[in-house]
């Protein structure tokens, strides 16, 4: 396989919890969220032939860290195994934990496999698991929201209760907790290595010590260059077929498309829809369309200023032509979405009819410039200076998104200035409030990566202490908080659905995140390779374990 030297960056995509699906499937107006006649594929058949080297593009750019408690990217699932294992069809199977279940409404017991070792050959212990989970429940962690109901004192909330057993104690029932352990919030790292590495854990200098199918050896990460990982021959699920998996970072859409179709790069997940025509033409590989919970949206970056005013957000939503957006930005591979949580997220859940009925009852996004202008006039927002919309530089879809928002805003009397930020600066906004200074709106692509409907809206709609890590506008709607909390605490599926629906009726109208379009998950892969997870579950499952030659 070929390698290529290309430019780097880091885009952070928001989102934590997800959908249910099957594979492959035919698209339609029900189970695919209304995307039309497209064959959707969860994953390609596992590889059967060994391969010396594969070069894979990470379109989000070079990560700031590979520490699973601090970041979410496509590399980490191949390095660090989780307690439970997310599958390409969004089912959940045992992982490092052979069993993980509630023994009563607020006590969760994790039983570990006895045959799992770290890359250095040391056995995984209950102390390693407790250490890893405690890091994820830290409010500074990417995954804090999943642990928001764990007893706050880490030494009490997460306790080693046997040689291969860890018990998690919660302050209230949490119907989302088990599913969350199939995500990176339960990625297991060696305690001794992590404590020695300190703040350098997960960096090029500090490294990692995990159990995954690929290992990061000392010197394997060249900052500004690439990340080279090698097969873990002793992986508990068996050795991968690809000996060396090298990640390169390409955030420019046209550069990526050329490199893929000419065979300079062997594959990429989440490729840009702007390259659809080239990807579907003659080239070194093929485009595979997978089911997805992903969507393009924009939302407020500050608790002060016009972006924090619901009327301004509603006005901008009414001013945007979704049909034009879908044709222009996602090349027709998408559909209008009524609210932040897409239909696919609840298609296979208990009480799916309740969720679907409530979603169907929400108003369709419409283009209404007169109403948008009226909302602007009613608003007390100071519009004397341009509002700043931040997008990552280099990505065609976000540049087009920004231009469409800017044009729509102008028609209703709002000036918007586009700040195309370098990838590392853009990524910093998601973890550093200071990096959002002077920014009114941020445009992103978000996705739900684990089963359930509660996790994703909680990040935006709930107070920070309850997991609202992306609630930058200080959104505080008591009824939404009450209904979302009740849904999370409910042990009855029907009650949980009713509470969530009641919350959705409120937050959907508030337009905290203006959802522009739901999209498919697009993967381009060399015709010589197979075995990749092609649904958005690729962000949570060790997809490279199945990668290999045909």
């Amino acid at each position: 396989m070929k390698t290529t030297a290309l430019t780097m960056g880091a885009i952070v995509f928001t989102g934590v919890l997800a959908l249910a699906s099957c594979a492959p499937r035919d698209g339609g107006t029900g189970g695919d969220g209304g995307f039309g006649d497209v064959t959707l594929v969860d994953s390609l058949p596992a590889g059967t032939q060994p391969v010396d080297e594969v070069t894979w593009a990470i379109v989000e750019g070079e990560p700031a860290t590979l520490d699973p408690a601090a970041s979410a990217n496509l590399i980490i699932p191949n390095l660090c195994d989780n307690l439970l294992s997310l599958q390409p069809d969004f089912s959940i199977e045992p992982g490092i934990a052979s069993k993980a279940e509630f023994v009563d409404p607020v006590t969760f017991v994790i039983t570990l496999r006895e045959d799992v070792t770290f890359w250095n050959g040391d056995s995984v212990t209950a102390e390693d698991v407790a250490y890893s989970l405690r890091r994820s429940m830290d409010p500074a962690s990417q995954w804090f929201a999943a642990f928001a109901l764990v007893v706050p004192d880490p030494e009490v909330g997460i306790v080693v209760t046997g040689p291969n057993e860890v018990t998690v104690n919660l302050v209230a029932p949490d119907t989302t907790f088990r599913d969350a352990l199939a995500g990176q919030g339960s990625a297991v790292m060696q305690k001794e290595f992590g404590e020695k590495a300190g703040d350098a854990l997960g960096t090029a200098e500090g490294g990692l010590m995990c159990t995954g199918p690929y290992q990061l050896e000392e010197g394997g990460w060249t900052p500004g260059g690439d990340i080279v990982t090698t097969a873990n021959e002793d992986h508990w699920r068996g050795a991968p077929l690809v000996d060396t998996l090298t990640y390169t970072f390409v955030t420019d859409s046209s550069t990526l498309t050329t490199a893929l179709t000419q065979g300079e790069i062997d594959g990429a997940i989440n490729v840009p829809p702007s390259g659809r025509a080239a990807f579907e033409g003659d080239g070194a590989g093929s485009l595979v369309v997978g089911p997805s919970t992903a969507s393009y949206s924009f939302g407020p970056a500050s608790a002060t200023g016009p972006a924090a005013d619901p009327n301004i957000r509603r006005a901008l939503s009414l001013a945007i032509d979704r049909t034009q957006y879908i044709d222009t930005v996602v090349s027709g591979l998408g559909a209008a979405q009524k609210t932040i949580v897409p239909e696919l997220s609840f298609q296979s859940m208990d009480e799916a009819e309740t969720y679907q009925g409530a979603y169907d009852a929400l108003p369709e996004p419409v283009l209404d410039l007169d109403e948008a202008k009226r909302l602007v006039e009613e608003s007390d927002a100071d519009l004397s200076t341009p509002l700043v919309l931040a997008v990552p530089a280099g990505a065609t879809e976000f540049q087009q998104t920004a231009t469409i928002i800017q044009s729509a805003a102008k028609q209703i009397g709002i000036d918007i200035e586009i700040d195309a930020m370098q990838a590392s600066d853009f990524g910093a906004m998601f973890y550093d409030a200071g990096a959002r200074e002077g920014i009114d709106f941020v445009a992103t692509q978000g996705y739900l990566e684990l089963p359930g409907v509660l996790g994703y809206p909680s990040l935006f709609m709930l107070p920070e202490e309850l997991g609202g890590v992306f609630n930058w506008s200080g959104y505080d709607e008591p009824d939404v908080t009450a209904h979302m909390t009740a849904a999370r605490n409910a042990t009855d599926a029907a009650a949980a659905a009713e509470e969530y629906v009641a919350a959705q009726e409120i937050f959907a109208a508030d337009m905290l995140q203006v959802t522009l379009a739901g999209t498919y998950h697009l993967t381009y892969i060399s015709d010589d390779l197979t075995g990749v997870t092609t649904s958005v579950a690729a962000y949570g499952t060790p997809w490279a374990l199945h990668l290999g030659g045909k």
Side-chain angles (χ1 to χ4, degrees):
M1 301 295 167
K2 301 174 182 177
T3 59
T4 184
L6 294 161
T7 57
M8 295 64 63
I11 299 174
V12 177
F13 281 30
T14 63
V16 209
L17 300 169
L19 92 117
S21 49
C22 43
R25 74 201 75 190
D26 291 329
T29 57
D32 72 348
F35 288 116
D37 293 329
V38 176
T39 298
L40 302 181
V41 178
D42 291 323
S43 60
L44 297 179
T48 59
Q49 301 300 315
V51 177
D52 289 336
E53 182 177 359
V54 167
T55 297
W56 204 264
I58 301 298
V59 306
E60 293 85 359
E62 184 174 12
T65 178
L66 293 175
D67 177 358
S71 181
N73 58 66
L74 278 162
I75 303 173
I76 292 174
N78 292 322
L79 297 173
C80 303
D81 291 319
N82 303 328
L83 290 173
L84 297 178
S85 180
L86 181 68
Q87 302 302 299
D89 66 354
F90 287 92
S91 62
I92 292 176
E93 295 183 358
I96 292 179
S98 60
K99 186 178 180 181
E101 301 290 348
F102 279 99
V103 296
D104 64 49
V106 293
T107 309
F108 190 86
V109 177
I110 300 163
T111 304
L112 304 178
R113 295 174 61 100
E114 298 183 10
D115 59 346
V116 181
T117 60
F118 292 105
W119 301 326
N120 63 4
D122 292 346
S123 295
V124 171
T125 70
E127 290 288 350
D128 295 316
V129 171
Y131 161 77
S132 301
L133 294 179
R134 288 167 183 162
R135 294 186 75 245
S136 290
M137 71 175 287
D138 188 306
S141 168
Q142 167 96 356
W143 311 108
F144 167 71
F147 294 81
L149 296 184
V150 175
V151 173
D153 183 344
E155 301 295 329
V156 178
I158 299 173
V159 183
V160 173
T161 48
N164 293 295
E165 183 181 277
V166 175
T167 297
V168 181
N169 299 303
L170 295 92
V171 297
D174 186 353
T175 56
T176 70
F177 185 73
R178 186 179 188 277
D179 288 343
L181 294 189
Q184 288 177 29
S186 78
V188 176
M189 294 175 290
Q190 189 178 53
K191 179 180 180 180
E192 180 182 2
F193 184 96
E195 289 181 341
K196 183 177 180 180
D199 292 341
L201 182 65
T203 66
E205 297 78 21
L208 284 172
M209 185 55 64
C210 287
T211 70
Y214 284 85
Q215 55 190 0
L216 177 68
E217 297 179 350
E218 187 174 352
W221 183 352
T222 303
D226 55 26
I227 294 176
V228 180
T229 64
T230 55
N232 176 9
E233 299 294 335
D234 298 319
H235 189 253
W236 56 281
R237 289 191 188 273
L241 287 172
V242 177
D243 287 338
T244 302
L245 180 57
T246 298
Y247 299 97
T248 188
F249 313 108
V250 192
T251 59
D252 182 80
S253 301
S254 59
T255 302
L256 176 67
T257 301
T258 300
L260 287 168
T261 55
Q262 292 185 0
E264 295 175 338
I265 295 175
D266 298 310
I269 292 169
N270 200 32
V271 297
S274 59
R276 179 181 184 179
F279 290 142
E280 291 178 342
D282 293 334
S286 302
L287 181 69
V288 185
V289 182
S292 178
T293 58
S295 60
Y296 287 94
S297 65
F298 67 96
S302 171
T304 59
D309 185 336
N311 275 350
I312 295 299
R313 299 194 298 269
R314 293 179 186 128
L316 287 171
S317 178
L318 288 166
I320 295 170
D321 185 335
R322 264 48 171 206
T323 300
Q324 178 202 22
Y325 184 88
I326 291 165
D327 289 344
T328 302
V329 178
V330 298
S331 299
L333 292 171
Q337 188 170 302
K338 295 182 178 182
T339 187
I340 188 173
V341 179
E343 293 174 84
L344 273 173
S345 63
F346 50 73
Q347 291 290 338
S348 297
M349 290 180 64
D350 291 339
E351 305 298 323
E353 290 186 4
T354 299
Y355 291 108
Q356 187 67 59
Y359 183 90
D360 291 343
L362 294 174
E364 295 281 352
V366 295
L367 176 65
D368 190 337
L369 293 179
D370 289 338
E371 176 64 8
K373 291 175 182 177
R374 187 188 69 78
L375 289 171
V376 172
E377 290 173 359
E378 281 190 359
S379 171
D380 294 328
D382 180 3
L383 301 173
S384 60
T385 58
L387 308 189
V388 178
L389 169 67
V391 296
T396 302
E397 290 69 35
F398 290 110
Q399 297 297 322
Q400 292 173 331
T401 295
T403 301
I404 287 173
I405 295 172
Q406 183 184 55
S407 176
K410 187 174 182 179
Q411 294 184 74
I412 58 174
I414 299 176
D415 289 331
I416 285 185
E417 176 183 298
I418 299 170
D419 185 355
M421 304 175 70
Q422 290 304 307
S424 58
D425 295 331
F426 186 82
M429 288 193 299
F430 292 85
Y431 307 104
D432 180 3
R436 297 192 294 272
E437 270 189 50
I439 304 297
D440 294 288
F441 286 108
V442 176
T444 63
Q445 186 190 40
Y447 59 91
L448 293 72
E449 70 180 21
L450 292 174
V453 298
L454 290 172
Y456 194 44
S458 295
L459 298 174
F460 301 92
M461 314 299 175
L462 294 186
E464 185 176 359
E465 65 272 15
L466 295 180
V469 295
F470 299 136
N471 186 359
W472 301 332
S473 68
Y475 181 82
D476 185 12
E477 174 51 64
D479 287 342
V480 169
T481 300
H483 288 306
M484 293 283 283
T485 301
R488 187 168 182 171
N489 295 157
T491 55
D492 175 72
E498 290 171 3
E499 292 289 353
Y500 170 78
V501 163
Q504 180 181 253
E505 288 177 357
I506 303 169
F507 71 65
D510 284 342
M511 289 284 175
L512 191 58
Q513 286 292 115
V514 180
T515 306
L516 299 171
T519 64
Y520 286 133
H521 198 244
L522 307 180
T523 299
Y524 191 86
I525 183 170
S526 166
D527 288 334
D528 295 329
L529 297 173
T530 186
V532 170
T533 297
T534 52
S535 70
V536 80
Y539 282 91
T541 187
W543 53 268
L545 183 61
H546 309 288
L547 185 66
K550 293 181 177 179

